């Protein structure tokens, strides 16, 4: 098994591509060791010094390191065998009892449905290329303020504010005129 790596715009996150599907049922993010108990792979990665976040995308794993921790040249050789051993073993990505992903069905307004469709078709695929994800949080129909949540390599990325304003906000305002502003929820 060969695992490729790619840098992300976030200098504290590195994208690992195992050459196979990773999170088929939807992306998952783990920001603490306590959250990571839901996944044997995430739990193993959190055992490493300086790992502060693990994100599973459709075909990649993004690992975030401590901002003032060891360099990637020291951490990467520790991460690669953990990912390889996990996939070679055939172990599940998520433990059964904790495997459900909360995608609760809601009765979205027409505008919210339009926003979510645009996110899914145009924005999320572009953000996934950088090792992250962007999720709908809320839309205030009175003010036109759209709140989005950045995950994976995009959370805490120095360029995420610019991505939201220059990219996402402009596209949303173009295709969904009811959107007046885009804000990041932390």
């Amino acid at each position: 098994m060969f695992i490729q790596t790619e840098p992300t715009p976030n200098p504290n996150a590195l994208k690992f591509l195992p050459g196979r599907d990773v999170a088929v049922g939807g992306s998952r993010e783990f920001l603490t060791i306590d959250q990571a108990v839901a996944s044997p792979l995430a739990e193993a990665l959190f055992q490493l010094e300086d790992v502060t976040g693990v994100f599973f995308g459709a075909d990649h794993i993004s690992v975030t390191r401590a901002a003032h921790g060891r360099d990637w040249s020291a951490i990467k050789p520790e991460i690669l065998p953990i990912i390889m051993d996990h996939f070679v073993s055939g172990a599940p990505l998520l433990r059964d009892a904790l495997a459900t992903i909360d995608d609760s069905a809601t009765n979205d307004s027409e505008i919210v449905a339009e926003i979510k469709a645009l996110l899914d078709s145009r924005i999320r695929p572009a953000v996934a290329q950088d090792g992250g994800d962007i999720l709908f949080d809320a839309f205030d129909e009175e003010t036109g303020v759209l709140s989005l949540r950045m995950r994976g390599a995009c959370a805490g990325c120095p360029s995420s504010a610019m991505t939201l304003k220059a990219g996402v906000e402009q596209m949303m305002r173009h295709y969904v005129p009811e959107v007046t502003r885009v804000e990041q929820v932390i």
Side-chain angles (χ1 to χ4, degrees):
M1 175 178 198
F2 179 72
I3 301 171
Q4 295 180 350
T5 59
E6 291 181 0
T8 70
N10 182 347
N12 294 318
L14 191 62
K15 185 175 170 181
F16 294 82
L17 298 144
R20 58 179 66 188
D21 291 338
V22 176
V24 178
S27 63
R28 290 292 302 254
E29 183 174 45
F30 305 94
L31 300 174
T32 67
I33 187 89
D34 292 336
Q35 292 175 353
V37 298
S39 166
L41 177 54
E43 192 171 37
L45 290 168
F46 265 99
Q47 298 301 317
L48 298 175
E49 183 183 345
D50 295 324
V51 170
T52 60
V54 176
F55 176 79
F56 298 143
D59 64 350
H60 69 276
I61 300 149
S62 293
V63 177
T64 305
R65 68 175 181 181
H68 300 291
R70 295 179 297 156
D71 189 67
W72 280 115
S73 62
I75 303 170
K76 184 175 155 182
E78 297 174 0
I79 294 172
L80 287 168
I82 291 172
I83 294 173
M84 185 177 302
D85 290 348
H86 175 81
F87 284 107
V88 169
S89 76
L93 187 66
L94 301 171
R95 293 187 168 97
D96 289 339
L98 304 168
T100 58
I101 296 172
D102 186 23
D103 280 338
S104 305
T106 59
N107 294 327
D108 292 334
S109 70
E110 188 176 319
I111 296 168
V112 169
E114 201 175 332
I115 290 168
K116 286 181 177 180
L118 185 58
L119 277 171
D120 289 343
S121 66
R122 293 190 164 217
I123 297 167
R124 291 181 75 198
V127 171
Q129 289 180 348
D130 286 337
D133 198 4
I134 187 167
L135 300 176
F136 174 86
D137 189 71
F139 178 66
D140 185 326
E141 294 194 24
E142 287 182 27
T143 63
V145 175
L146 171 61
S147 300
L148 300 173
R149 187 174 308 276
M150 305 293 271
R151 298 192 327 171
C154 296
C157 177
S159 61
S160 66
M162 187 171 52
T163 298
L164 279 176
K165 289 295 177 193
V168 177
E169 184 173 282
Q170 284 184 358
M171 185 178 290
M172 281 291 171
R173 291 174 72 179
H174 176 78
Y175 288 103
V176 186
E178 292 85 356
V179 173
T180 59
R181 189 171 80 237
V182 174
E183 293 180 350
Q184 181 176 350
V185 175
I186 299 175

